[in-house]
Amino acid sequence: MSVLRSIEQKIEGLFEGVFGRAFRTHVQPVELARKLTKEMDDHRTVSVSRVYVPNEYSVYLAPTDRAQFEGYEGSMIGELQDYLAEHARRENYALLTSPKVLMETDADLAVGEFGIATRMAQPPSGRKSTDAPKSQPEPGATMIYKPKAAPSATEAVSPDELGMEREIVTLTVDGQQHEIAKRRIVIGRSKDCDVQVADPNISRRHAELRQEGATYWLVDLDSTNGMEVNGRRVKRAKLESGDTIVLGSSELVFERGADA
């Protein structure tokens, strides 16, 4: 039996039997493990001689999902970190430090949903490789995973039967769709903005789209002409999928949904 499979069985064992049936609609540790390694694979950075991957993983859970792990969250975090370390070893990935998993609560997540944000974090001291990537001050965009279908109340669900979808977040400006891949993006007329809008009525740095956990906010950056969300003039607004934003004379549409 491989080391990776052995660790996976330990993670599964944290949620077997009575607990597995009682909380079968909730997030399960084995699904967290598999999506954590997916995020590791998706955020590889190729240097001169190595392939670096994030070493810090923030996991966001709904309050009821987080509560179910009370009493053994520390053990689960240790197993998840071991799982990431073994996956990195098998794939010959380079890490700046041993993998670290942080658990966070996000009230905007529904039961069964969870988010993962990754970060390259430098060790507190010591020398680093000359080709190592720079440390990131904060995690990148949080990838939200949602159950594909709600399990039946009368069925026991195994970890292998749980399917998860990746969420895609976009802003559509004048028919052009921009996928949002960072926690903060600036919208404005300047070519230095993440989303540039060629509208003379828009300020050079007009507004900022911010991701806070599983929630997205639009914040006015003291623009000249302000902004509207769904016809209401605001300085800061929580965004929902399908919301219409007006900046200057331009209309933008915010969308979030599962990857097809």
Side-chain angles (χ1 to χ4, degrees), residues 39-50:
E39 291 300 307
M40 176 180 279
D41 293 338
D42 289 348
H43 291 85
R44 292 170 293 183
T45 299
V46 180
S47 69
V48 175
S49 59
R50 299 181 181 181

Side-chain angles (χ1 to χ4, degrees), residues 162-182:
L162 288 176
M164 306 298 286
E165 295 176 329
R166 185 173 75 94
E167 184 179 61
I168 298 295
V169 178
T170 61
L171 270 179
T172 301
V173 185
D174 296 328
Q176 183 177 2
Q177 194 175 74
H178 302 265
E179 184 173 338
I180 308 306
K182 298 195 295 186

Side-chain angles (χ1 to χ4, degrees), residues 39-111:
E39 291 300 307
M40 176 180 279
D41 293 338
D42 289 348
H43 291 85
R44 292 170 293 183
T45 299
V46 180
S47 69
V48 175
S49 59
R50 299 181 181 181
V51 177
Y52 284 91
V53 289
N55 56 337
E56 186 175 290
Y57 299 78
S58 296
V59 177
Y60 297 89
L61 298 169
T64 51
D65 278 323
R66 179 82 185 274
Q68 69 179 307
F69 302 132
E70 186 177 0
Y72 65 95
E73 183 176 283
S75 298
M76 181 180 70
I77 288 175
E79 296 291 353
L80 292 174
Q81 290 175 164
D82 289 345
Y83 192 76
L84 284 168
E86 178 61 21
H87 181 72
R89 187 192 67 78
R90 287 168 59 94
E91 298 297 327
N92 201 28
Y93 293 152
L95 291 155
L96 297 179
T97 65
S98 297
K100 183 177 182 181
V101 175
L102 305 172
M103 290 291 176
E104 306 286 351
T105 302
D106 190 332
D108 289 306
L109 288 169
V111 174

Side-chain angles (χ1 to χ4, degrees), residues 4-241:
L4 199 65
R5 180 56 187 156
S6 176
I7 297 172
E8 187 170 290
Q9 286 184 340
K10 289 181 181 178
I11 296 172
E12 289 176 356
L14 290 171
F15 222 53
E16 286 180 340
V18 174
F19 287 101
R21 292 175 182 274
F23 297 109
R24 59 184 171 272
T25 61
H26 291 245
V27 172
Q28 297 204 20
V30 70
E31 192 60 39
L32 290 178
R34 291 168 185 168
K35 296 308 179 185
L36 282 166
T37 56
K38 181 182 184 301
E39 291 300 307
M40 176 180 279
D41 293 338
D42 289 348
H43 291 85
R44 292 170 293 183
T45 299
V46 180
S47 69
V48 175
S49 59
R50 299 181 181 181
V51 177
Y52 284 91
V53 289
N55 56 337
E56 186 175 290
Y57 299 78
S58 296
V59 177
Y60 297 89
L61 298 169
T64 51
D65 278 323
R66 179 82 185 274
Q68 69 179 307
F69 302 132
E70 186 177 0
Y72 65 95
E73 183 176 283
S75 298
M76 181 180 70
I77 288 175
E79 296 291 353
L80 292 174
Q81 290 175 164
D82 289 345
Y83 192 76
L84 284 168
E86 178 61 21
H87 181 72
R89 187 192 67 78
R90 287 168 59 94
E91 298 297 327
N92 201 28
Y93 293 152
L95 291 155
L96 297 179
T97 65
S98 297
K100 183 177 182 181
V101 175
L102 305 172
M103 290 291 176
E104 306 286 351
T105 302
D106 190 332
D108 289 306
L109 288 169
V111 174
E113 296 178 356
F114 61 91
I116 300 175
T118 65
R119 185 169 82 100
M120 293 275 193
Q122 295 290 348
S125 61
R127 297 174 61 187
K128 70 172 184 175
S129 172
T130 55
D131 67 345
K134 293 182 179 179
S135 179
Q136 297 169 299
E138 62 179 26
T142 304
M143 189 60 65
I144 306 298
Y145 291 96
K146 300 181 178 184
K148 288 183 179 178
S152 168
T154 59
E155 292 181 359
V157 179
S158 69
D160 289 336
E161 293 172 320
L162 288 176
M164 306 298 286
E165 295 176 329
R166 185 173 75 94
E167 184 179 61
I168 298 295
V169 178
T170 61
L171 270 179
T172 301
V173 185
D174 296 328
Q176 183 177 2
Q177 194 175 74
H178 302 265
E179 184 173 338
I180 308 306
K182 298 195 295 186
R183 292 177 70 85
R184 292 172 182 249
I185 67 160
V186 176
I187 308 163
R189 198 176 73 251
S190 171
K191 64 179 181 180
D192 296 325
C193 291
D194 300 290
V195 176
Q196 184 181 12
V197 185
D199 181 343
N201 295 309
I202 287 182
S203 299
R204 290 179 60 80
R205 292 172 57 88
H206 198 106
E208 185 176 68
L209 180 63
R210 301 175 182 171
Q211 182 187 19
E212 299 176 3
T215 305
Y216 284 84
W217 295 85
L218 188 68
V219 180
D220 189 289
L221 298 178
D222 295 323
S223 64
T224 302
N225 293 319
M227 66 183 195
E228 293 182 5
V229 176
N230 296 329
R232 186 166 61 92
R233 196 167 182 83
V234 292
K235 292 289 289 183
R236 175 182 170 94
K238 180 180 178 180
L239 297 180
E240 303 291 344
S241 185

